[in-house]
Amino acid sequence: GQNIDQPTEMTATEGAIVQINCTYQTSGFNGLFWYQQHAGEAPTFLSYNVLDGLEEKGRFSSFLSRSKGYSYLLLKELQMKDSASYLCAVWDSNYQLIWGAGTKLIIKP
Amino acid sequence: IAGITQAPTSQILAAGRRMTLRCTQDMRHNAMYWYRQDLGLGLRLIHYSNTAGTTGKGEVPDGYSVSRANTDDFPLTLASAVPSQTSVYFCASSESGGAEDTQYFGPGTRLTVL
């Protein structure tokens, strides 16, 4: 079966760094997305990885290891507005996005 | 309008009733999708359309139907609603439906079936 695992909830302090992990087992791999979703709102795109390595975009970075079926999202200089759920999604061999249940990130002052 | 709009924002529906959720995009994207999001579960694909005139089934299509008469609109119909269809429904679109394409989401419809 297809499976994407993320921690359910994480807590971090404003100004700190947090790493949200995602492991996946899917039928094929055609890329991995990270989305941010604030409570009651729609998901919005953060990053896309298809090759191994680190992609940096401002305060957010995303890493991929295809051989390990593993990705992480790194958030630096945390701000209160970063409190949200972070969704990991993988394109499988059927060209459909398989989504993890998301990680709720709570930022404390 | 800019982006994707969905209507209604929320709806309470009696079981057995028919309901159509509307989705319109103005980005001229070829591909459109319907997802449902339930607490503790990831987004699950209901139906998709890679281009006007074509549709396909996703992971959880039973009880739902879609049509794609033109590029902009992608309505989702529940023929006879059941309580298990209580969920938040998101419509999304992407430029071509390719693996590298970002999907852009509408604001969602919160549906409660009693």
Side-chain angles (χ1 to χ4, degrees), chain A residues 30-33 35 37 40-46 48 50 85 87 91-92 94-102, chain B residues 33 35 37 40-45 48 57-59 90 94 97-108 110:
Chain A
N30 289 298
L32 184 145
F33 286 86
Y35 278 76
Q37 185 177 25
E41 297 184 8
T44 55
F45 170 77
L46 286 178
Y48 172 70
V50 66
S85 289
L87 315 180
W91 272 104
D92 70 1
N94 294 319
Y95 284 91
Q96 293 187 2
L97 264 180
I98 308 301
W99 296 80
Chain B
Y33 313 85
Y35 291 95
Q37 187 174 41
L41 298 177
L43 288 160
R44 292 183 291 169
L45 183 66
Y48 65 93
K57 294 181 179 180
E59 180 186 357
F90 286 102
S94 69
E100 72 284 1
D101 279 358
T102 298
Q103 291 189 11
Y104 297 90
F105 285 79
R110 185 174 296 274

Side-chain angles (χ1 to χ4, degrees), chain B residues 19-67:
Chain B
M19 176 75 191
T20 295
L21 307 185
R22 299 185 298 279
C23 174
T24 299
Q25 54 104 357
D26 66 354
M27 297 178 283
R28 307 304 294 173
H29 283 173
N30 284 313
M32 296 187 75
Y33 313 85
W34 274 106
Y35 291 95
R36 60 178 290 172
Q37 187 174 41
D38 303 292
L39 198 62
L41 298 177
L43 288 160
R44 292 183 291 169
L45 183 66
I46 304 171
H47 285 286
Y48 65 93
S49 169
N50 286 329
T51 189
T54 68
T55 62
K57 294 181 179 180
E59 180 186 357
V60 289
D62 294 343
Y64 305 95
S65 63
V66 292
S67 61

